[in-house]
Amino acid sequence: MKIPLYLSGERLNENKMKISKLDCGYDRKALIERTKKAPVWLHFGAGNIFRAFPCVLLQRLIEAGRADYGIIAVDAFDAETIHRVYEPCDNMSLSVTLNSDGTMTKTPVGSVVESIYLPENRERVSEIICSPSLSLVTFTITEKGYAIGDSAGALLPDIRRDLESKPDEAETFLGFLSACLYQRYLAGKKPLTLLSMDNCSGNGDRLSRAINTFAGSWTSLGFAEGGFVDYVSEKSADGVVCPISMIDKITPRPSERVAEALREDGYEDIDIIETEKHTFIAPFVNAEAPEYLVIEDKFSSTRPPLEEVGVKITDRKTVEAVERMKVSTCLNPLHTFLAIYGCLLGFERICDEMKDPVLSRLVKRLGYDEGLPVVTDPGIISPRDFIDEVINERLPNIFMPDTPQRIATDTSQKLSVRFGETIKSYMERGLDMTGLCCIPLVAAGWCRYLMGVDDKGNSFERSSDPLLEECTAHISDIKLGGKYSADEIHAALFPIFSNKTIFSVDLYSSPVGEASERYFTEMISSAGAVRRVLEEV
């Protein structure tokens, strides 16, 4: 049955409309001209979260007369994002907010004034970064976009090659970015703020480490002047700085139900596209209404007045506390739990999982009983109020087409912060951990997920993950319904559960490791065992 979605405000006329022709309420042509001549804000990662959140924030500032420039968007991953969506729509988009009451709020967004696919126009991107007017570069490139090493700490081959080559020969994204910063250094050492808006702990620190690794290598090899290291290492207030941030706004892939509702309202160019690289994108972006962005007050140059549109600009300690609250306790762990078991139990929507009484009870136990006891109260946001909103409004929102399969992407990169830090907090405070059940269920469930066989015994496609092949190899001999000794199970799981890169802690240093092994053993006993274990817990 189709779920109705309604417009808030006046209905649109019956004429066919194109996204590219929508009125933003300001002189967009003049905005484009000004920005291209003197760029101020450059963004890497032209995906859905960027269009649903940062773009809308700047749109509000432009409408209020508080900004007279737009964003230049760059994508380094998927050319089709630029050529099949951005360019045909003249870089316009339609932001669709899916409210929990069933209404749909639509906002034409014209704050993106230029879009570039990086491999095709490196010169233009380099020119923009060297522009004296540029003051802010933001990123939504996903957590793995900042990686320079593998799970063992060894440099990735492509990164190593760039580190040993001259800056103008860099081929990786991080190498290219660092080379552009070196050109900006040579062009006058103008200050610049690099702001990661990716959903990962210490995002700005990760970006800073990568850039400083390149600067250190190139200067030691004589490929760059020694002052470049100081320029990017935050030793100078007029150099490059990388503040940390916490971002939160659930932005699933474009929904066909939303597209259908938009067609009924007269839009004719809102088809959803799946690219060859399996990116799902459309001229519109759909997202939930709740949104949070907290940024460390560390800018080396002028910045947009983001605090006027709801962004919290605060000290580093508070940002870290908000990030820990969200990522380690109140939202992300719950999402990962639902992602893992949603895939194993055949769910296609997160909201449907919240209707399942067993999963709903376990998610509440994970958040309220196992997470809140060690949460850090950031002061500016109440942890209890935040998790209440997550449990009662955000996760059950039937109008949000978010999938466990999407959230299961890159799980190996998320477990350390989402669960490892909580385990460490229990250990540091000397709290009893024998009563924990949901956290061990996550570790066990993820290894069960890695088998690629659901609870009915049918194979399923696992979401992409940089450690998928490595971790799957450890359990490749474990089959559903097989009989294995405790030693065999331990031998298979030990390389995963003891890996501090994955969990941030050796699970066997606490009762979690043994409990996780026990749950895993029970869940591989037969088809239907996953559901049975969850019900017993």
Side-chain angles (χ1 to χ4, degrees):
M1 181 177 68
K2 183 177 75 173
I3 298 175
L5 290 168
Y6 303 97
L7 284 171
S8 62
E10 297 181 2
R11 290 192 60 82
L12 300 172
N13 59 46
E14 297 302 318
N15 297 327
K16 294 294 183 181
M17 294 171 291
K18 289 183 175 293
I19 300 292
S20 60
K21 302 300 182 182
L22 293 177
D23 182 10
C24 293
Y26 52 84
D27 188 345
R28 186 165 181 264
K29 182 178 180 181
L31 183 83
I32 293 172
E33 293 176 353
R34 283 196 303 271
T35 304
K36 287 188 175 182
K37 289 179 181 178
V40 176
W41 184 344
L42 178 70
H43 182 86
F44 288 100
N48 293 319
I49 182 64
F50 162 65
R51 299 160 72 212
F53 203 175
C55 286
V56 175
L57 292 177
L58 183 57
Q59 174 83 8
R60 294 170 188 162
L61 290 174
I62 295 170
E63 291 173 345
R66 299 293 286 127
D68 62 354
Y69 53 84
I71 305 177
I72 298 175
V74 180
D75 200 273
F77 174 71
D78 199 329
E80 291 183 75
T81 295
I82 301 299
H83 299 321
R84 297 185 63 187
V85 173
Y86 276 80
E87 291 174 348
C89 293
D90 191 27
N91 299 312
M92 287 280 297
S93 65
L94 188 68
S95 177
V96 181
T97 301
L98 304 177
N99 304 303
S100 58
D101 63 0
T103 59
M104 181 172 69
T105 306
K106 302 187 299 187
T107 305
V109 180
S111 55
V112 175
V113 301
E114 182 179 0
S115 57
I116 304 168
Y117 179 52
L118 179 60
E120 296 173 351
N121 206 340
R122 292 163 64 99
E123 294 79 8
R124 172 58 179 156
V125 176
S126 180
E127 174 191 358
I128 294 168
I129 293 179
C130 291
S131 174
S133 60
L134 189 73
S135 62
L136 180 63
V137 181
T138 52
F139 303 80
T140 51
I141 58 175
T142 75
E143 187 168 0
K144 59 188 174 185
Y146 305 98
I148 60 175
D150 60 20
S151 62
L155 288 171
L156 298 173
D158 291 348
I159 294 292
R160 179 181 294 278
R161 181 199 61 231
D162 278 2
L163 289 170
E164 296 174 351
S165 303
K166 295 179 180 180
D168 59 4
E169 297 173 353
E171 296 181 8
T172 63
F173 169 72
L174 291 172
F176 170 76
L177 174 64
S178 301
C180 289
L181 292 175
Y182 184 53
Q183 290 302 313
R184 185 178 178 89
Y185 165 82
L186 294 175
K189 307 177 186 178
K190 293 291 185 181
L192 189 65
T193 300
L194 306 183
L195 173 59
S196 171
M197 294 181 175
D198 274 294
N199 182 22
C200 57
S201 178
N203 44 24
D205 295 339
R206 297 179 187 221
L207 177 58
S208 180
R209 279 195 296 271
I211 293 169
N212 277 274
T213 299
F214 278 97
S217 179
W218 288 340
T219 54
S220 66
L221 293 172
F223 297 151
E225 296 180 6
F228 181 46
V229 172
D230 290 340
Y231 177 64
V232 300
S233 62
E234 303 186 9
K235 292 182 178 179
S236 169
D238 296 328
V240 173
V241 298
C242 300
I244 61 171
S245 72
M246 188 289 293
I247 189 169
D248 180 24
K249 187 177 180 71
I250 299 174
T251 309
R253 66 177 56 169
S255 167
E256 184 55 49
R257 283 182 295 175
V258 175
E260 182 179 347
L262 294 176
R263 291 188 190 99
E264 292 175 356
D265 286 315
Y267 291 91
E268 62 177 14
D269 56 346
I270 42 74
D271 291 341
I272 299 171
I273 296 168
E274 180 182 5
T275 71
E276 290 187 2
K277 292 186 176 181
H278 303 296
T279 300
F280 288 85
I281 196 165
F284 69 92
V285 57
N286 44 235
E288 65 173 351
E291 58 186 26
Y292 301 86
L293 181 56
V294 186
I295 303 174
E296 179 185 8
D297 190 5
K298 185 176 70 174
F299 293 81
S300 67
S301 51
T302 57
R303 63 169 176 81
L306 295 170
E307 67 277 7
E308 297 180 13
V309 286
V311 178
K312 305 289 187 182
I313 310 293
T314 184
D315 60 89
R316 182 183 181 89
K317 184 177 179 181
T318 302
V319 178
E320 291 175 335
V322 173
E323 193 270 340
R324 283 197 302 272
M325 178 201 72
K326 177 233 176 183
V327 176
S328 300
T329 311
C330 296
L331 174 61
N332 293 28
L334 282 59
H335 248 159
T336 294
F337 183 94
L338 292 171
I340 290 170
Y341 285 103
C343 292
L344 288 171
L345 298 176
F347 285 93
E348 295 183 355
R349 296 197 305 167
I350 292 295
C351 60
D352 291 335
E353 290 187 74
M354 292 301 291
K355 299 175 185 177
D356 185 296
V358 173
L359 292 176
S360 178
R361 284 199 297 270
L362 287 170
V363 162
K364 291 176 182 177
R365 180 167 180 171
L366 175 60
Y368 290 118
D369 299 339
E370 300 189 10
L372 279 184
V374 293
V375 74
T376 300
D377 189 339
I380 62 173
I381 300 174
S382 163
R384 182 78 190 200
D385 291 346
F386 188 90
I387 200 169
D388 283 345
E389 181 184 58
V390 169
I391 293 289
N392 299 320
E393 298 179 34
R394 301 177 67 180
L395 294 179
N397 185 347
I398 63 174
F399 302 100
M400 280 291 292
D402 213 0
T403 68
Q405 291 74 23
R406 182 189 76 86
I407 299 171
T409 301
D410 300 335
T411 297
S412 70
Q413 308 298 292
K414 304 170 181 176
L415 293 170
S416 62
V417 175
R418 300 187 181 190
F419 300 97
E421 292 303 313
T422 297
I423 295 172
K424 287 163 65 175
S425 293
Y426 269 87
M427 297 171 67
E428 291 167 358
R429 301 183 189 189
L431 299 178
D432 181 20
M433 301 177 66
T434 56
L436 296 181
C437 62
C438 293
I439 292 176
L441 278 174
V442 169
W446 184 54
C447 290
R448 176 65 181 79
Y449 164 92
L450 290 174
M451 294 172 63
V453 178
D454 67 20
D455 199 32
K456 294 181 179 179
N458 301 318
S459 61
F460 66 88
E461 182 178 355
R462 294 161 295 188
S463 302
S464 62
D465 190 306
L467 297 186
L468 183 61
E469 184 176 348
E470 175 184 329
C471 291
T472 301
H474 295 306
I475 60 170
S476 59
D477 293 333
I478 303 295
K479 308 298 179 185
L480 182 63
K483 304 298 181 182
Y484 304 96
S485 67
D487 288 342
E488 289 174 318
I489 294 295
H490 180 73
L493 298 181
F494 181 82
I496 301 175
F497 288 170
S498 64
N499 191 331
K500 293 183 180 181
T501 301
I502 297 176
F503 287 100
S504 184
V505 63
D506 181 347
L507 295 187
Y508 297 106
S509 63
S510 74
V512 173
E514 181 180 348
S516 300
E517 283 193 4
R518 183 173 67 253
Y519 287 141
F520 177 80
T521 302
E522 295 173 2
M523 286 191 286
I524 65 169
S525 61
S526 66
V530 172
R531 168 65 71 174
R532 185 167 62 250
V533 169
L534 295 181
E535 291 175 347
E536 291 173 354
V537 172

XYZ file of all heavy atoms in Angstrom, residues 172-237:
499
model
N 46.453 10.007 -5.529
C 45.358 9.770 -4.584
C 44.673 11.086 -4.236
O 45.238 12.162 -4.424
C 45.875 9.123 -3.289
O 46.776 10.044 -2.646
C 46.605 7.825 -3.580
N 43.470 10.991 -3.705
C 42.757 12.212 -3.327
C 43.509 12.974 -2.245
O 43.697 14.197 -2.346
C 41.347 11.881 -2.837
C 40.666 13.055 -2.198
C 40.222 14.121 -2.960
C 40.502 13.119 -0.813
C 39.631 15.235 -2.374
C 39.908 14.215 -0.221
C 39.470 15.275 -1.003
N 43.949 12.285 -1.193
C 44.648 12.958 -0.106
C 45.975 13.544 -0.583
O 46.382 14.621 -0.137
C 44.873 11.992 1.053
C 43.615 11.570 1.816
C 43.946 10.467 2.819
C 42.985 12.762 2.526
N 46.626 12.837 -1.493
C 47.863 13.368 -2.053
C 47.614 14.610 -2.892
O 48.343 15.607 -2.798
N 46.562 14.578 -3.693
C 46.214 15.735 -4.520
C 45.850 16.924 -3.643
O 46.278 18.054 -3.886
C 45.047 15.382 -5.442
C 44.460 16.565 -6.156
C 45.106 17.138 -7.239
C 43.258 17.123 -5.721
C 44.566 18.252 -7.892
C 42.715 18.224 -6.363
C 43.374 18.790 -7.448
N 45.047 16.689 -2.610
C 44.659 17.765 -1.705
C 45.895 18.392 -1.062
O 46.019 19.626 -0.993
C 43.718 17.229 -0.631
C 43.327 18.205 0.481
C 42.535 19.375 -0.076
C 42.521 17.474 1.569
N 46.801 17.562 -0.594
C 48.025 18.067 0.036
C 48.869 18.850 -0.957
O 49.463 19.880 -0.606
C 48.828 16.902 0.620
O 48.070 16.188 1.583
N 48.914 18.377 -2.193
C 49.674 19.091 -3.232
C 49.057 20.462 -3.503
O 49.770 21.443 -3.709
C 49.715 18.259 -4.510
N 47.734 20.537 -3.504
C 47.055 21.828 -3.701
C 47.362 22.787 -2.549
O 47.551 23.991 -2.755
C 45.552 21.621 -3.826
S 45.025 20.832 -5.363
N 47.417 22.236 -1.346
C 47.744 23.077 -0.200
C 49.173 23.603 -0.298
O 49.465 24.728 0.114
C 47.562 22.285 1.101
C 46.125 21.902 1.453
C 46.093 21.026 2.694
C 45.255 23.140 1.651
N 50.046 22.778 -0.865
C 51.421 23.246 -1.058
C 51.458 24.380 -2.072
O 52.183 25.362 -1.901
C 52.328 22.105 -1.499
C 53.781 22.520 -1.628
C 54.439 23.146 -0.572
C 54.490 22.304 -2.801
C 55.766 23.540 -0.678
C 55.812 22.692 -2.922
C 56.452 23.311 -1.851
O 57.764 23.706 -1.963
N 50.667 24.276 -3.121
C 50.593 25.356 -4.103
C 50.032 26.624 -3.464
O 50.479 27.734 -3.765
C 49.712 24.920 -5.284
C 50.340 23.843 -6.160
C 51.679 24.281 -6.729
O 51.814 25.392 -7.255
N 52.673 23.401 -6.628
N 49.046 26.470 -2.558
C 48.501 27.634 -1.857
C 49.575 28.254 -0.953
O 49.677 29.481 -0.841
C 47.276 27.220 -1.029
C 46.566 28.395 -0.348
C 45.334 27.921 0.415
N 44.668 29.020 1.122
C 43.734 29.798 0.622
N 43.333 29.613 -0.636
N 43.184 30.773 1.340
N 50.378 27.402 -0.338
C 51.489 27.874 0.493
C 52.464 28.697 -0.348
O 52.863 29.802 0.044
C 52.185 26.679 1.115
C 53.549 26.963 1.696
C 53.700 27.503 2.967
C 54.699 26.681 0.956
C 54.961 27.760 3.495
C 55.964 26.934 1.465
C 56.087 27.478 2.737
O 57.337 27.741 3.247
N 52.819 28.181 -1.513
C 53.757 28.884 -2.380
C 53.162 30.179 -2.920
O 53.885 31.131 -3.207
C 54.162 27.976 -3.551
C 54.978 26.720 -3.192
C 55.203 25.871 -4.445
C 56.316 27.094 -2.554
N 51.823 30.203 -3.060
C 51.155 31.371 -3.641
C 50.920 32.499 -2.640
O 50.330 33.520 -2.992
C 49.827 30.952 -4.262
N 51.338 32.315 -1.399
C 51.169 33.402 -0.439
C 50.804 32.990 0.960
O 50.574 33.842 1.818
N 50.726 31.674 1.203
C 50.474 31.159 2.558
C 49.182 31.703 3.160
O 49.100 31.987 4.359
C 51.652 31.492 3.480
C 53.006 31.060 2.957
C 54.121 31.495 3.895
C 55.489 31.193 3.298
N 56.592 31.658 4.174
N 48.164 31.845 2.348
C 46.891 32.350 2.847
C 46.258 31.341 3.816
O 46.343 30.126 3.609
C 45.927 32.617 1.689
C 46.359 33.756 0.773
C 46.269 35.085 1.480
C 46.595 36.228 0.525
N 46.522 37.552 1.216
N 45.614 31.819 4.871
C 44.983 30.907 5.837
C 43.827 30.143 5.205
O 43.220 30.604 4.230
C 44.501 31.844 6.943
C 44.332 33.169 6.271
C 45.415 33.234 5.232
N 43.527 28.994 5.777
C 42.448 28.162 5.235
C 41.951 27.223 6.325
O 42.745 26.674 7.104
C 42.942 27.351 4.034
C 41.879 26.605 3.225
C 40.925 27.585 2.557
C 42.536 25.729 2.155
N 40.643 27.034 6.369
C 40.034 26.081 7.299
C 39.541 24.870 6.527
O 38.789 25.012 5.560
C 38.855 26.720 8.059
O 39.326 27.843 8.799
C 38.222 25.721 9.006
N 39.985 23.693 6.943
C 39.531 22.433 6.360
C 38.611 21.766 7.374
O 39.067 21.333 8.438
C 40.710 21.517 6.043
C 41.836 22.091 5.174
C 42.893 21.012 4.911
C 41.292 22.630 3.857
N 37.330 21.710 7.068
C 36.324 21.237 8.021
C 35.689 19.938 7.550
O 34.908 19.919 6.595
C 35.248 22.314 8.202
C 34.022 21.939 9.040
C 34.416 21.527 10.449
C 33.019 23.094 9.065
N 36.028 18.846 8.213
C 35.376 17.575 7.922
C 33.995 17.549 8.555
O 33.831 17.873 9.730
C 36.200 16.402 8.456
O 35.455 15.203 8.359
N 33.000 17.167 7.760
C 31.645 16.987 8.266
C 31.239 15.521 8.184
O 30.055 15.189 8.112
C 30.664 17.852 7.473
C 30.873 19.340 7.647
S 29.651 20.296 6.701
C 30.059 21.972 7.209
N 32.251 14.652 8.174
C 31.950 13.228 8.098
C 31.595 12.664 9.465
O 32.055 13.142 10.501
C 33.140 12.471 7.502
C 33.108 12.457 5.985
O 32.176 11.842 5.437
O 33.984 13.071 5.363
N 30.785 11.632 9.435
C 30.244 11.026 10.644
C 31.249 10.036 11.228
O 31.070 8.828 11.163
C 28.919 10.333 10.306
C 28.261 9.726 11.530
O 28.532 10.120 12.657
N 27.406 8.736 11.311
N 32.344 10.558 11.767
C 33.336 9.695 12.388
C 34.053 10.468 13.490
O 34.151 11.693 13.444
C 34.330 9.145 11.374
S 35.237 10.378 10.427
N 34.556 9.737 14.444
C 35.197 10.348 15.600
C 36.492 11.041 15.203
O 37.292 10.497 14.442
C 35.487 9.273 16.649
O 36.142 9.817 17.761
N 36.704 12.249 15.741
C 37.940 12.968 15.470
C 38.166 13.218 14.004
O 39.303 13.134 13.511
N 37.108 13.551 13.271
C 37.200 13.670 11.816
C 38.271 14.677 11.378
O 39.052 14.410 10.466
C 35.841 14.015 11.203
C 35.101 15.103 11.963
O 35.696 15.920 12.658
N 33.778 15.130 11.818
N 38.311 15.826 12.034
C 39.315 16.814 11.668
C 40.727 16.356 11.972
O 41.671 16.667 11.228
N 40.892 15.606 13.048
C 42.209 15.083 13.396
C 42.694 14.084 12.346
O 43.882 14.038 12.015
C 42.169 14.414 14.763
C 41.864 15.393 15.887
O 42.074 16.611 15.689
O 41.410 14.949 16.955
N 41.793 13.278 11.835
C 42.160 12.309 10.798
C 42.637 13.022 9.541
O 43.629 12.628 8.917
C 40.964 11.412 10.469
C 40.491 10.554 11.622
C 39.290 9.711 11.231
N 38.742 9.012 12.377
C 38.307 7.757 12.347
N 38.366 7.069 11.226
N 37.807 7.192 13.430
N 41.905 14.070 9.172
C 42.290 14.844 7.997
C 43.645 15.509 8.219
O 44.513 15.487 7.342
C 41.217 15.889 7.711
C 41.454 16.856 6.554
C 41.664 16.096 5.251
C 40.295 17.829 6.432
N 43.836 16.089 9.396
C 45.094 16.762 9.709
C 46.263 15.793 9.668
O 47.342 16.110 9.136
C 45.001 17.423 11.083
O 46.202 18.076 11.408
N 46.084 14.584 10.241
C 47.164 13.595 10.241
C 47.579 13.229 8.828
O 48.771 13.090 8.521
C 46.730 12.341 11.009
C 46.842 12.461 12.506
C 46.762 11.093 13.172
N 45.470 10.461 12.948
C 44.414 10.619 13.750
N 44.506 11.417 14.805
N 43.289 9.996 13.501
N 46.585 13.058 7.962
C 46.902 12.682 6.582
C 47.707 13.768 5.883
O 48.730 13.502 5.243
C 45.608 12.398 5.815
N 47.268 15.003 6.002
C 47.950 16.123 5.351
C 49.358 16.301 5.909
O 50.318 16.509 5.161
C 47.128 17.412 5.518
C 45.825 17.305 4.748
C 47.920 18.623 5.037
C 44.844 18.395 5.070
N 49.492 16.187 7.222
C 50.806 16.337 7.834
C 51.751 15.199 7.459
O 52.963 15.401 7.392
C 50.671 16.438 9.354
C 50.343 17.834 9.817
O 51.231 18.653 10.016
N 49.053 18.128 9.982
N 51.188 14.016 7.209
C 52.024 12.906 6.743
C 52.632 13.226 5.390
O 53.826 12.991 5.157
C 51.195 11.611 6.660
O 50.701 11.277 7.958
C 52.044 10.458 6.139
N 51.827 13.780 4.503
C 52.347 14.162 3.179
C 53.361 15.290 3.298
O 54.426 15.250 2.673
C 51.195 14.566 2.257
C 50.498 13.408 1.624
C 49.330 12.896 2.171
C 51.015 12.803 0.487
C 48.688 11.811 1.593
C 50.384 11.716 -0.104
C 49.215 11.210 0.457
N 53.035 16.302 4.096
C 53.944 17.437 4.235
C 55.288 16.988 4.801
O 56.357 17.407 4.325
C 53.314 18.496 5.134
N 55.246 16.121 5.804
C 56.486 15.639 6.400
C 57.335 14.840 5.436
O 58.561 14.996 5.380
N 56.671 13.978 4.661
C 57.411 13.154 3.700
C 58.020 13.996 2.595
O 59.207 13.854 2.263
C 56.485 12.095 3.102
O 57.176 11.301 2.147
N 57.234 14.902 2.041
C 57.727 15.706 0.922
C 58.860 16.650 1.343
O 59.812 16.853 0.593
C 56.575 16.502 0.312
C 55.616 15.634 -0.465
C 55.853 14.400 -0.982
C 54.253 15.942 -0.794
N 54.734 13.905 -1.620
C 53.738 14.832 -1.528
C 53.419 17.028 -0.552
C 52.433 14.804 -2.017
C 52.123 16.999 -1.036
C 51.627 15.905 -1.757
N 58.764 17.200 2.534
C 59.846 18.087 2.976
C 61.111 17.294 3.279
O 62.220 17.742 2.984
C 59.426 18.888 4.219
O 58.968 17.983 5.238
C 58.309 19.858 3.883
N 60.968 16.099 3.850
C 62.148 15.298 4.167
C 62.864 14.825 2.904
O 64.085 14.631 2.907
C 61.757 14.086 5.016
O 60.938 13.178 4.285
N 62.100 14.652 1.823
C 62.690 14.224 0.549
C 63.154 15.403 -0.295
O 63.687 15.207 -1.392
C 61.668 13.396 -0.243
C 61.281 12.029 0.363
C 60.126 11.413 -0.410
C 62.483 11.087 0.351
N 62.920 16.616 0.191
C 63.341 17.795 -0.544
C 62.384 18.211 -1.641
O 62.717 19.063 -2.469
N 61.168 17.656 -1.629
C 60.172 17.994 -2.653
C 59.357 19.233 -2.277
O 58.624 19.769 -3.109
C 59.211 16.825 -2.884
C 59.876 15.582 -3.421
C 59.365 14.326 -3.135
C 61.009 15.672 -4.221
C 59.960 13.175 -3.630
C 61.620 14.529 -4.715
C 61.099 13.273 -4.417
N 59.446 19.654 -1.022
C 58.690 20.819 -0.551
C 59.542 21.611 0.428
O 60.412 21.058 1.109
C 57.385 20.381 0.112
N 59.280 22.898 0.505
C 60.002 23.751 1.439
C 59.650 23.379 2.883
O 58.534 22.957 3.178
C 59.640 25.218 1.194
C 60.068 25.741 -0.171
C 59.677 27.198 -0.372
O 59.169 27.813 0.610
O 59.867 27.707 -1.483
N 60.614 23.569 3.771
C 60.406 23.198 5.162
C 59.256 23.914 5.823
O 58.592 23.370 6.710
N 58.978 25.154 5.400
C 57.894 25.913 6.001
C 56.520 25.327 5.755
O 55.557 25.685 6.440
N 56.413 24.428 4.767
C 55.123 23.821 4.458
C 54.598 23.023 5.646
O 53.393 22.998 5.916
C 55.251 22.931 3.223
C 53.972 22.266 2.791
C 52.788 22.986 2.710
C 53.956 20.915 2.473
C 51.602 22.371 2.306
C 52.781 20.298 2.072
C 51.599 21.025 1.993
N 55.513 22.382 6.389
C 55.097 21.596 7.551
C 54.442 22.496 8.587
O 53.378 22.177 9.129
C 56.294 20.848 8.166
C 55.886 20.191 9.491
C 56.815 19.794 7.202
N 55.048 23.644 8.852
C 54.461 24.578 9.814
C 53.126 25.116 9.312
O 52.196 25.322 10.100
C 55.419 25.747 10.065
C 56.659 25.325 10.834
O 56.607 24.265 11.488
O 57.675 26.034 10.754
N 53.013 25.332 8.017
C 51.793 25.889 7.429
C 50.584 24.985 7.667
O 49.475 25.463 7.919
C 52.009 26.108 5.930
C 50.813 26.621 5.175
C 50.271 27.872 5.430
C 50.223 25.849 4.165
C 49.174 28.351 4.720
C 49.130 26.308 3.445
C 48.604 27.559 3.726
O 47.518 28.015 3.016
N 50.780 23.661 7.601
C 49.652 22.731 7.735
C 49.548 22.099 9.126
O 48.598 21.357 9.391
C 49.715 21.611 6.676
C 49.666 22.188 5.285
C 50.952 20.740 6.863
N 50.505 22.378 10.002
C 50.515 21.704 11.301
C 49.891 22.534 12.408
O 50.018 22.195 13.585
C 51.949 21.344 11.692
O 52.740 22.513 11.832
N 49.224 23.636 12.049
C 48.501 24.484 12.989
C 49.426 25.171 13.988
O 49.009 25.568 15.078
C 47.414 23.688 13.723
C 46.422 23.022 12.771
C 45.254 22.355 13.487
O 45.127 22.546 14.708
O 44.486 21.641 12.828
N 50.707 25.309 13.617
C 51.637 26.052 14.469
C 51.474 27.554 14.277
O 51.936 28.343 15.091
C 53.071 25.639 14.160
C 53.398 24.197 14.564
C 54.848 23.861 14.283
C 55.159 22.431 14.728
N 56.580 22.075 14.448
N 50.827 27.915 13.172
C 50.593 29.325 12.883
C 49.102 29.586 12.781
O 48.352 28.809 12.168
C 51.270 29.724 11.562
O 50.856 31.011 11.146
N 48.640 30.668 13.394
C 47.218 31.015 13.337
C 46.786 31.384 11.933
O 45.593 31.399 11.628
C 46.922 32.177 14.290
